[in-house]
């Protein structure tokens, strides 16, 4: 794959030599023990793409984003979202963060699959009157401490360093409430601004509600868009909200040894941790040192004894658990530490020989690329570098490009990798690296990156050739979200307020045409968009990528 010239890095890339198979089934089955626990122990949770997540949506990671801040290029912005398909009118309780969970964003700067830095948010509920009121708010809300706001949340933010030391960055910081509606919160933008909190030492964070930034057509389950590729161009997520945590920090806070010039590449993922019975893989037992899975942040005991914190949800690269991990292992994957990913033979095998291209070939006759798919191993497990041993001959976003990383410690792991040395693009291309824009996915992920189109192109071999697969060029017909993103922190769009099934398709609060799930490209007459005949051969084969979207996005059950 030929990429534009990348910023020069301090040292040559090193070869990834850790084997990709081994005793992985044992590690996965150990993690799978979580699936047998009851919701009371909080282990019946996973991503929505995994069977057990329906019992615990507040623990459901939906998306993770990582990008160099476009307006503050000396910083990095990390975004993690939870609770998919928040209907704006979902009162009276709306959508608080769980007060019995840890929400984390983790950074691996040395490539060993373990977090070097872990940011953890824990939330607390505050109710003014729970004996005489059922309302979320009792009048117009103008400030976060408004007496009319009957329910509110605050949070504590800590950071765990490589040595396991924990530092409290914020305590009792205000979270923005759910957007109840225009009558209750006529100026939600002001409330959100009040919830943006500066961090000691630089940076800022926000926790609250936002319009769901993810965009795609999920009407894939009706025989892959009706079996004839005509039912496309519908943004299934239009009008829905999510709970979001946004963190912006200086690059040095994330880089190995605090040196972003020598060590610009980081790996990012997010987890939800709950308190309950300790279930760890054999590879995690007794391991401490770096704050992360099976170590101090997730294996610690509470003061009252017995039960520790364990991981119940996980997300790095988009759509991995949906279309790479077989159904049998989805719940277990959400409890697995990234450092163990390379040992899980059934999953690694599906990276090298993925399901989606075979599905597309069987339905539409487009030949699947030859296997083994070592290009996908680079994209999902090692990052891309010339000396990683894979077919993509480019230096982009492997921690092997960091000057102070040892190849002996490097471990293939599923992480969203970002090269912080690549500056923001003035005019971003939604196809990221495949569109010759090195600041986009899979080099990190910006809010507007069309990861559905990108990943299907990659699955169909575009990363091997560096060229778009012509049959898939039209994508799924959904190229942008229903709301524009902001130019400044926290970048995510304000939450929707209109009912998703509202018939008024022109409603600026987020209502969409009834029954159409957010029709994109609707003409003046309200007709369905017409896909060019030349594109029908595969354009909406993002059915395959829509199939990718099985993960968090689901029809209401």
């Amino acid at each position: 794959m030929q990429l534009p010239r990348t910023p020069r890095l301090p040292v040559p890339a090193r070869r990834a030599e850790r084997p990709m198979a081994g005793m992985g089934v044992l590690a996965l089955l150990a993690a799978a023990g979580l699936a047998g626990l009851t919701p009371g122990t909080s282990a019946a949770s996973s991503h929505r793409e995994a069977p057990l997540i329906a019992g615990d949506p507040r623990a459901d990671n939906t998306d993770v984003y990582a990008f160099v801040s476009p307006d503050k290029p000396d910083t990095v912005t990390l975004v993690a979202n939870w609770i998919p398909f928040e209907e704006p009118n979902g009162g009276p309780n709306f959508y608080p963060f769980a007060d019995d969970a840890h929400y984390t964003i983790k950074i691996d700067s040395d490539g060993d699959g373990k977090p070097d830095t872990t940011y953890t948010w824990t939330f607390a509920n505050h109710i003014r009157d729970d004996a005489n009121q059922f309302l979320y708010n009792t009048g117009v809300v103008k400030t976060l401490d408004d007496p009319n706001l009957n329910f509110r949340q605050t949070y504590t933010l800590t950071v765990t360093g490589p040595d396991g030391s924990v530092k409290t960055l914020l305590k009792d910081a205000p979270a923005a409430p759910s957007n109840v509606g225009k009558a209750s919160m006529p100026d939600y933008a002001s409330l959100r601004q009040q919830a943006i909190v500066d961090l000691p030492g630089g940076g800022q964070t926000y926790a609250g509600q936002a319009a769901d930034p993810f965009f795609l057509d999920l009407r894939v389950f009706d025989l892959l868009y009706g079996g004839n590729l005509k039912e496309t161009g519908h943004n299934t997520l239009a009008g829905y909200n999510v709970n979001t945590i946004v963190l912006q920090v200086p690059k040095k806070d994330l880089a190995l040894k605090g040196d972003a010039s020598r060590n610009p590449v980081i790996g990012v993922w997010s987890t939800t941790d709950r308190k309950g019975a300790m279930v760890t893989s054999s590879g995690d037992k007794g391991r401490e040192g770096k704050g992360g899975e099976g170590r101090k942040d997730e294996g610690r005991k509470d003061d009252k004894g017995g039960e520790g914190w364990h991981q119940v949800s996980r997300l790095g690269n988009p759509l991995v658990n949906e279309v790479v991990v077989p159904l049998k292992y989805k719940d277990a994957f959400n409890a697995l530490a990234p450092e163990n990913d390379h040992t899980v033979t059934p999953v690694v095998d599906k990276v090298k020989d993925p399901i989606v291209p075979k599905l597309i070939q069987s339905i539409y006759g487009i030949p699947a690329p030859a296997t083994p798919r070592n290009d996908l191993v680079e994209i999902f497990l090692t990052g891309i570098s010339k000396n990683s041993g894979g077919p993509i001959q480019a230096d982009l976003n492997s921690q092997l490009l960091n000057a102070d990383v040892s190849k002996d410690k490097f471990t293939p792991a599923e992480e969203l990798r970002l090269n912080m040395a690549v500056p923001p693009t003035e005019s971003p291309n939604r196809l990221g690296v495949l569109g010759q824009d090195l600041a986009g996915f899979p080099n990190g992920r910006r809010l507007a990156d069309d990861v559905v189109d990108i990943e299907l192109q990659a699955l169909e071999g575009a990363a091997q050739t560096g060229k778009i697969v012509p049959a898939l060029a039209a994508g799924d017909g959904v190229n942008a979200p229903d709301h524009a993103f902001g130019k400044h922190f926290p970048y995510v769009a304000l939450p929707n307020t209109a009912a998703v099934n509202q018939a008024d398709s022109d409603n600026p609060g987020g209502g969409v045409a009834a029954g159409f799930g957010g029709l994109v490209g609707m003409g003046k007459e309200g007709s369905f968009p017409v896909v060019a005949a030349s594109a029908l051969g595969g354009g909406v084969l993002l059915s395959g990528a829509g199939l990718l979207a099985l993960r968090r996005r689901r029809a209401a059950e």
Side-chain angles (χ1 to χ4, degrees):
M1 179 177 182
Q2 299 297 318
L3 299 177
R5 186 179 181 87
T6 60
R8 186 173 182 179
L9 296 175
V11 294
R14 302 178 176 91
R15 180 176 299 274
E17 297 178 347
R18 191 71 64 92
M20 296 296 295
M23 57 174 290
V25 175
L26 295 178
L28 195 64
L29 292 179
L34 287 171
L37 300 177
T38 66
T41 58
S42 75
S45 171
S46 188
H47 288 82
R48 184 64 187 184
E49 82 284 7
L52 297 177
I53 188 58
D56 195 2
R58 289 191 294 175
D60 181 3
N61 297 76
T62 64
D63 286 284
V64 171
Y65 304 82
F67 51 91
V68 176
S69 308
D71 56 333
K72 294 183 178 180
D74 60 335
T75 69
V76 166
T77 297
L78 308 173
V79 182
N81 296 333
W82 283 266
I83 313 180
F85 281 99
E86 292 182 5
E87 157 61 47
N89 294 331
N93 298 310
F94 293 96
Y95 305 100
F97 289 94
D99 63 349
D100 56 353
H102 288 173
Y103 296 93
T104 79
I105 297 177
K106 300 182 177 183
I107 294 91
D108 172 16
S109 58
D110 60 8
D112 64 358
K114 307 172 188 177
D116 294 283
T117 305
T118 299
Y119 292 92
T120 303
W121 289 257
T122 56
F123 290 83
N125 298 336
H126 306 276
I127 304 175
R128 296 185 187 275
D129 186 355
D130 61 357
N132 301 300
Q133 286 292 344
F134 64 89
L135 290 169
Y136 192 87
N137 60 292
T138 57
V140 176
V141 177
K142 297 182 179 180
T143 64
L144 295 182
D145 59 356
D146 197 310
N148 289 329
L149 186 58
N150 194 39
F151 178 88
R152 61 189 181 91
Q153 287 194 305
T154 58
Y155 62 88
T156 296
L157 171 59
T158 64
V159 60
T160 304
D163 60 354
S165 61
V166 180
K167 178 182 179 181
T168 298
L169 299 178
L170 298 173
K171 190 173 183 180
D172 297 326
S178 295
N179 192 348
V180 175
K182 295 179 179 178
S184 294
M185 300 175 180
D187 189 1
Y188 190 86
S190 174
L191 296 177
R192 183 169 82 169
Q193 189 63 35
Q194 296 171 44
I196 296 174
V197 184
D198 291 335
L199 299 176
Q204 52 192 332
T205 188
Y206 167 79
Q209 198 178 43
D212 195 333
F214 195 39
F215 52 95
L216 79 168
D217 191 331
L218 261 178
R219 298 181 69 190
V220 58
F221 302 108
D222 180 15
L223 295 180
L224 301 183
Y225 297 103
N228 56 19
L229 302 178
K230 291 182 180 179
E231 300 178 9
T232 62
H234 305 270
N235 183 2
T236 311
L237 304 180
Y240 288 104
N241 298 322
V242 290
N243 277 19
T244 187
I245 290 175
V246 189
L247 176 72
Q248 186 177 81
V249 293
K251 293 178 179 178
K252 64 180 179 60
D253 290 359
L254 307 179
L256 180 63
K257 297 184 178 180
D259 192 338
S261 297
R262 286 177 56 83
N263 304 301
V265 180
I266 58 174
V268 180
W269 71 99
S270 179
T271 73
T272 313
D273 307 329
R274 283 197 178 278
K275 193 180 297 183
M278 287 291 291
V279 179
T280 61
S281 71
S282 58
D284 282 335
K285 292 180 179 179
R287 186 179 289 125
E288 293 186 353
K290 297 175 76 172
E293 294 85 342
R295 287 169 295 277
K296 291 189 177 180
D297 63 333
E298 292 174 343
R300 62 189 176 212
K301 305 294 183 179
D302 62 61
D303 292 336
K304 296 184 179 180
E307 295 182 344
W309 293 88
H310 61 267
Q311 176 181 308
V312 298
S313 186
R314 164 191 173 186
L315 188 65
N317 283 292
L319 308 174
V320 169
N321 204 358
E322 293 72 357
V323 299
V324 175
V325 180
L327 183 61
K328 180 178 181 180
Y329 303 112
K330 287 181 180 295
D331 292 305
F333 182 80
N334 283 330
L336 194 67
E339 65 186 279
N340 291 324
D341 290 342
H342 72 288
T343 71
V344 183
T345 304
V347 175
V348 173
D349 286 347
K350 287 298 183 289
V351 175
K352 294 182 175 181
D353 188 9
I355 299 169
V356 170
K358 295 178 179 180
L359 177 65
I360 292 174
Q361 178 174 317
S362 67
I363 297 175
Y364 297 109
I366 298 177
T371 59
R373 296 296 304 277
N374 291 322
D375 56 324
L376 299 182
V377 171
E378 286 190 85
I379 292 171
F380 293 125
L381 292 173
T382 67
I384 298 170
S385 66
K386 291 180 180 178
N387 296 323
S388 66
I392 305 177
Q393 289 299 299
D395 286 335
L396 181 64
N397 67 340
S398 173
Q399 288 105 325
L400 289 168
L401 297 170
N402 290 340
D404 297 318
V405 164
S406 168
K407 67 178 181 179
D408 295 330
K409 294 183 179 180
F410 183 81
T411 301
E414 195 278 294
E415 304 171 355
L416 179 65
R417 289 176 170 85
L418 172 68
N419 185 338
M420 299 184 291
V422 179
T425 306
E426 185 174 348
S427 299
N429 188 305
R430 69 179 181 87
L431 295 180
V433 174
L434 286 178
Q436 303 299 299
D437 180 357
L438 293 183
F441 185 76
N443 182 29
R445 180 185 178 187
R446 300 168 300 194
L447 294 171
D449 285 343
D450 195 342
V451 296
V452 173
D453 286 23
I454 295 169
E455 286 202 0
L456 187 64
Q457 285 284 337
L459 285 166
E460 290 298 300
Q464 297 178 358
T465 64
K467 298 179 181 179
I468 297 295
V469 179
L472 305 177
D476 64 351
V478 182
N479 298 335
D482 54 334
H483 295 296
F485 299 117
K487 295 182 180 180
H488 305 287
F489 187 89
Y491 307 105
V492 291
L494 293 173
N496 297 290
T497 57
V500 173
N501 63 354
Q502 184 169 316
D504 181 8
S505 62
D506 295 323
N507 190 295
V512 296
F516 294 144
L519 187 59
V520 173
M522 179 180 281
K524 293 182 179 180
E525 302 301 322
S527 58
F528 283 87
V530 178
V531 181
S534 61
L536 288 179
V540 185
L541 283 180
L542 283 170
S543 57
L547 182 52
L548 294 160
L550 172 64
R551 174 185 41 122
R552 58 167 186 146
R553 307 304 185 184
R554 82 286 188 193
E557 296 182 354

